Amino acid sequence: MSTLAEKRFVLVTGKGGVGKTTVCAAEALALAAKGKRVLVAMCNAKERLSTMLGSEPIGSTVTPVTKNVWAVNMLPEKALEEYGVLVLKSRVLYKTLFDNAYVRAFLRAVPGMQEWTMLGKAWWHTTETLPDGSFKYDVVILDAPATGHGLDMLRVPKVIIDVVPPGLLRRDAERAWALFQDGEMCAIVLVTLPEEMPTTETIELATALTKLGLPIGRVVVNQVLPPLFSRDERAVLEGAPLAAPLARATPGDAALDAARGRATRERLQADSMGRLSRELPVAPSFLPLLLDDASTPEALRQLAKRV
């Protein structure tokens, strides 16, 4: 896998259910083990990161979760308030301008505003500094929404640049967009499974990101089975006749059925890995399928060693 240790911003996305948060957690632990200060930012998510890392539940305030790792679960309205206070330099002035139902309803109706409040907040954390002038976080990892929503979120700063008049909002969007396009400072990590539908979505997503000029830094194929059979053995097993449905199955029949199922899964997995290797701009990496629960701190430590 290519290193992410020198990036300032890492955005992780992919089809829903492929293990994006697992990859975020494993990468955060791996970077923290190298001495990096890491912030994991989630987008109004059903929070599972605390279970994976063995910490207290993670809310809308940045909190430490383990050594060198902090996390936040961003809420659109809370993120808007924080952004407004930063821009206006006054919480009192923010409440005067924004703390009423009409303005809030208007902002909710602005296309892309909720996405920008979270994406913009995650970007802003890359600019935070400590009293000595060093960055507060070495790497910010954004656990982005699933494929379609994640792509829509990434388009928002470009839309702001194109349509919003010069001002603070456009200035910040320009700074964020410049970072996102910088392959030295930013990496987009695509997470997928070795299955047909996630593979197809990942290839389509990679094509769309490339057209936007955004750098794909890594593709992670999650839950990969170690192969037990060669290509020839898989062909033989898949071609073996099925036992009669009403016949009394012997232990040999059961073993053959299990082997046939495993051979089919391995073939589909190999096909998916081959497509990803041929059609993506970066070679895919993989994480193994863990037989035990993958959402435990011990499992995450195992995966962190792999990344």
Side-chain angles (χ1 to χ4, degrees):
M1 285 185 165
S2 61
T3 179
L4 299 181
E6 302 309 317
K7 308 299 183 186
R8 295 284 300 125
F9 190 79
V10 175
L11 186 143
V12 181
T13 187
K15 189 178 186 299
V18 298
K20 294 187 293 88
T21 301
T22 301
V23 171
C24 288
E27 192 62 61
L29 291 180
L31 292 171
K34 296 179 180 179
K36 299 293 183 179
R37 295 165 59 87
V38 185
L39 173 67
V40 180
M42 297 169 284
C43 296
N44 197 18
K46 184 177 180 181
E47 198 271 301
R48 298 183 297 113
L49 189 66
S50 58
T51 301
M52 296 178 180
L53 298 180
S55 72
E56 295 296 318
I58 299 164
S60 59
T61 301
V62 174
T63 52
V65 291
T66 189
K67 183 179 179 181
N68 284 343
V69 180
W70 290 258
V72 60
N73 191 9
M74 301 180 294
L75 306 178
E77 290 203 0
K78 178 71 173 176
L80 176 62
E81 179 178 347
E82 291 182 9
Y83 182 70
V85 171
L86 289 168
V87 169
L88 299 172
K89 311 298 185 185
S90 167
R91 188 170 296 276
V92 173
L93 182 56
Y94 168 83
K95 287 187 175 294
T96 301
L97 294 176
F98 290 91
D99 200 10
N100 69 74
Y102 296 106
V103 172
R104 289 184 177 275
F106 169 75
L107 290 173
R108 282 195 295 268
V110 175
M113 181 56 70
Q114 290 200 5
E115 288 80 3
W116 171 247
T117 58
M118 293 185 287
L119 180 61
K121 174 176 165 60
W123 160 77
W124 176 78
H125 284 302
T126 70
T127 71
E128 282 189 283
T129 56
L130 297 170
D132 64 2
S134 62
F135 286 118
K136 188 173 183 179
Y137 307 107
D138 296 308
V139 185
V140 175
I141 299 176
L142 177 62
D143 187 356
T147 308
H149 290 119
L151 188 58
D152 289 343
M153 172 179 278
L154 276 168
R155 288 191 178 109
V156 169
K158 185 65 169 63
V159 172
I160 292 174
I161 293 168
D162 290 342
V163 303
V164 173
L168 292 173
L169 177 60
R170 179 167 161 179
R171 180 205 64 189
D172 286 350
E174 288 173 342
R175 292 175 63 195
W177 188 245
L179 174 66
F180 300 158
Q181 290 187 301
D182 185 349
E184 296 295 320
M185 303 296 288
C186 175
I188 298 176
V189 176
L190 307 183
V191 183
T192 188
L193 296 177
E195 300 170 6
E196 183 178 0
M197 187 176 294
T199 293
T200 298
E201 283 200 21
T202 301
I203 293 169
E204 292 174 350
L205 176 58
T207 301
L209 291 170
T210 300
K211 289 179 179 178
L212 285 173
L214 298 173
I216 300 171
R218 180 179 294 178
V219 176
V220 178
V221 187
N222 194 21
Q223 300 182 21
V224 174
L225 283 168
L228 298 180
F229 306 114
S230 68
R231 180 183 299 179
D232 291 342
E233 289 169 338
R234 291 198 295 264
V236 170
L237 285 167
E238 289 190 281
L242 293 170
L246 299 180
R248 179 175 296 175
T250 66
D253 291 333
L256 182 58
D257 285 345
R260 183 187 295 107
R262 175 64 178 248
T264 298
R265 185 167 179 182
E266 286 186 18
R267 175 178 56 79
L268 295 173
Q269 175 175 281
D271 291 346
S272 295
M273 297 284 279
R275 284 188 65 199
L276 292 168
S277 296
R278 291 190 302 271
E279 300 184 42
L280 292 181
V282 297
S285 308
F286 71 90
L287 289 176
L289 175 67
L290 299 183
L291 299 181
D292 297 324
D293 186 358
S295 63
T296 64
E298 176 56 34
L300 263 296
R301 284 191 287 271
Q302 291 182 46
L303 294 176
K305 293 177 182 177
R306 298 297 187 106
V307 301

